[in-house]
Amino acid sequence: MSGGTDEKELKALQAALAAEHAAVYGYGVVGGRIREGRRAEARSAYDAHRARRDALTRRVRDLGGTPVAAAPAYALPFPVPDSDAALRFAGELEERVAAVYSDLVRATGGEQRRSAAEALREAAVRAVRWSGESVAFPGLAERAATASPSSAPTA
């Protein structure tokens, strides 16, 4: 792997790590507002994002980088006062994570690409479960209307 490729991969890994930090924070908000019947699903998503965060942290270190730290807090895209808002927020979290993983798929190869594609798939499936809606190409639809979500991590 060339130095430029390593740098491109490291940048995409750091963006994915930042998104996972935001998702872990976001699911703390979701878990506090979601109705009882969906709490186990929220906990499962929270655990999945923590595991991905930890794996990304190790990968960044393996490439010689210093893993990006979590922010002490994240700006929510809208108020989350109740379960309905928590459902919308969880769907948005997953869509943002999917977008960042689509960048990671493009920036990597081999086993890392397979892992990123799996994370993209998992985020897209969770987004559909939360929102009830899907897109043809998860992680890419929002690119047409906005800048890359990896440029400004929010929860």
Side-chain angles (χ1 to χ4, degrees):
M1 208 184 259
S2 71
T5 302
D6 285 345
E7 289 174 24
K8 182 179 171 185
E9 179 178 356
L10 186 57
K11 182 178 179 182
L13 285 164
Q14 293 280 37
L17 178 56
E20 291 293 5
H21 284 311
V24 167
Y25 179 91
Y27 271 103
V29 174
V30 170
R33 301 285 191 265
I34 199 93
R35 68 180 172 268
E36 184 69 35
R38 305 282 311 255
R39 280 197 189 131
E41 188 176 355
R43 178 59 190 216
S44 177
Y46 172 79
D47 291 342
H49 286 292
R50 284 182 48 206
R52 292 268 181 208
R53 177 201 62 196
D54 295 347
L56 288 165
T57 297
R58 286 188 299 274
R59 182 66 181 141
V60 167
R61 284 190 181 124
D62 289 347
L63 288 176
T66 300
V68 64
Y74 293 86
L76 302 182
F78 51 84
V80 185
D82 56 28
S83 186
D84 289 340
L87 287 171
R88 283 194 324 277
F89 182 44
E92 186 163 325
L93 282 172
E94 297 297 348
E95 288 171 5
R96 290 176 182 208
V97 168
V100 174
Y101 276 110
S102 73
D103 291 343
L104 188 56
V105 168
R106 284 191 299 275
T108 58
E111 184 56 38
Q112 185 60 53
R113 176 176 274 175
R114 281 187 287 283
S115 178
E118 178 64 19
L120 169 58
R121 185 193 65 78
E122 288 173 6
V125 168
R126 280 192 297 265
V128 170
R129 286 184 182 146
W130 291 121
S131 70
E133 300 174 0
S134 66
V135 295
F137 298 102
L140 299 178
E142 54 278 345
R143 302 274 191 213
T146 63
S148 171
S150 60
S151 65
T154 59

